[in-house]
Amino acid sequence: MSEPTTVYPVGRTDVGKRLDRFLQEKIPRLSRNRIQEMIRDRVVLSWDARVRPATVLVPGGVVRIEYVPLPETLLEQEIPVLMRGDGWLAVDKPAGIPVHPVNTVRENTVIRMLRRQEGCEDLRLAHRLDRETSGVLLVADNPDTARTLSLAFENREAGKEYVAVVRGVLGEDRGTIDLPVGKACNSEVFVRQAAGAGAPSETVWQVEARGPGATLLRLFPRTGRRHQIRVHLEAIGFPVLGDLLYGRPDQDYLDLVSGLRDPRKEEGGPDRQLLHCARLRIESVAGGLDCSSPVPDLFHQCLQRVSPSNWL
């Protein structure tokens, strides 16, 4: 499956900008390291200049990002289907598999694996889950249903329940985190969000179980900001166990995405963030949609294994 070259013309307001800043504006989901790798390996300029992050954009220029085929061995892994409805299906997303194509993975993504599995190229995502988050994921098989489901999420008609294992033992049994969420301005990681400024955000939580040094929580996000649950839990001092982006130094995450090391393996902790979408409900869908996914055994195992002297 081929993909076209991406072309970004240099506009009037772009003239004089550095190439790396220009591309970060165009592709905000990529970290600074990813942008620099792309500039080194894939970027072509329409004018005569050395291609480097500090290259200054010129009037009338065009920046091209060449598609580079990646050798991928197709995963022989079935994506479990939890429920089917008129124009949609709910699947149990495994941890560690991105939902859509990214720079390093294209064919081994949930949506492309499902298209092959279901024999339907029209399948499309109705919402997103982070790569390391598991659980209920909705997929539509036509544009109208995809639009209907996406609007349900935008209009806060979707009831979402997550389960997480967090570092530390919460004393209260339940509570609400009401903190705005927005971009983390002082972080080297471009995708990192932070609590305290940004869009209004609310997460309700309740304790499911407690271990020696960790707590199993059920969480009900009332809004849908990027990384909201993870940001909120970090903000109150109880980050998700195994999360390298929140509650950890920037370098831990940067080392992971650059392929240098996974700090979690050095510590003997879980090799994923322990966050799971356990239930989704959308009453406005014809026939009703109420789908659940069982909490992975790993969550209960890690809950009992973490001690106060072993913060992973």
Side-chain angles (χ1 to χ4, degrees):
M1 183 179 295
S2 63
E3 296 187 13
T5 295
T6 303
V7 177
Y8 293 116
V10 176
R12 283 190 308 167
T13 59
D14 299 318
V15 174
K17 289 181 181 177
R18 288 170 52 112
L19 177 60
D20 56 354
R21 295 188 182 279
F22 172 74
L23 289 176
Q24 278 198 319
E25 291 174 3
K26 297 297 183 182
I27 320 173
R29 68 181 183 276
L30 295 187
S31 67
R32 183 181 304 172
N33 280 4
R34 288 290 187 190
I35 291 290
Q36 291 175 345
E37 288 176 10
M38 187 168 63
I39 290 171
R40 183 181 66 245
D41 300 332
R42 300 173 55 193
V43 168
V44 176
L45 304 177
S46 65
W47 66 97
D48 186 15
R50 180 183 173 189
V51 182
R52 56 181 181 172
T55 298
V56 175
L57 303 186
V58 301
V62 174
V63 178
R64 292 182 173 83
I65 302 175
E66 302 288 351
Y67 168 68
V68 180
L70 296 174
E72 282 188 80
T73 302
L74 297 185
L75 287 177
E76 297 297 330
Q77 179 174 346
E78 183 175 356
I79 306 294
V81 176
L82 298 168
M83 190 176 183
R84 295 181 186 271
D86 185 12
W88 58 268
L89 62 156
V91 303
D92 200 358
K93 177 195 172 296
I97 300 179
V99 294
H100 54 67
V102 293
N103 274 353
T104 56
V105 184
R106 291 187 171 85
E107 297 306 320
N108 292 324
T109 57
V110 171
I111 191 60
R112 291 195 176 177
M113 291 169 70
L114 273 174
R115 286 171 182 168
R116 295 193 297 269
Q117 177 179 308
E118 297 288 310
C120 178
E121 284 296 317
D122 291 332
L123 291 181
R124 60 201 70 202
L125 297 164
H127 65 121
R128 305 286 191 272
L129 290 178
D130 295 334
R131 182 174 188 151
E132 291 192 357
T133 301
S134 54
V136 184
L137 179 73
L138 297 183
V139 178
D141 66 14
N142 63 80
D144 289 340
T145 301
R147 194 156 37 247
T148 297
L149 293 175
S150 294
L151 283 174
F153 283 95
E154 291 177 16
N155 296 332
R156 303 184 189 178
E157 298 170 1
K160 296 174 283 186
E161 294 182 20
Y162 285 77
V163 171
V165 178
V166 300
R167 297 190 326 219
V169 182
L170 278 84
E172 301 294 324
D173 290 334
R174 58 184 54 83
T176 299
I177 308 170
D178 187 2
L179 292 169
V181 171
K183 182 171 173 53
C185 299
N186 299 320
S187 172
E188 293 184 44
V189 181
F190 193 73
V191 297
R192 187 193 285 273
Q193 307 292 293
S201 309
E202 183 180 344
T203 304
V204 176
W205 59 266
Q206 66 184 41
V207 172
E208 295 274 296
R210 294 180 175 91
T215 308
L216 180 68
L217 296 179
R218 189 167 295 267
L219 304 119
F220 308 86
R222 302 306 190 206
T223 50
R225 312 305 176 198
R226 187 179 196 184
H227 299 173
Q228 176 179 315
I229 291 175
R230 298 161 64 192
V231 172
H232 272 171
L233 291 173
E234 177 193 42
I236 65 170
F238 295 89
V240 175
L241 193 65
D243 190 346
L244 285 184
L245 186 55
Y246 296 101
R248 305 282 296 239
D250 281 354
Q251 197 59 50
D252 283 350
Y253 179 80
L254 294 173
D255 285 351
L256 178 72
V257 297
S258 65
L260 289 178
R261 59 190 272 272
D262 184 342
R264 296 170 299 194
K265 293 181 179 177
E266 301 168 2
E267 300 162 348
D271 60 358
R272 57 162 291 195
Q273 65 189 26
L274 299 188
L275 182 62
H276 178 79
C277 183
R279 187 182 182 191
L280 272 178
R281 292 172 289 111
I282 305 179
E283 295 181 359
S284 58
V285 172
L289 190 163
D290 191 341
C291 186
S292 299
S293 167
V295 180
D297 292 339
L298 177 65
F299 283 43
H300 297 285
Q301 294 167 5
C302 288
L303 178 67
Q304 299 303 324
R305 199 168 68 217
V306 178
S307 67
S309 61
N310 184 27
W311 301 122
L312 302 178

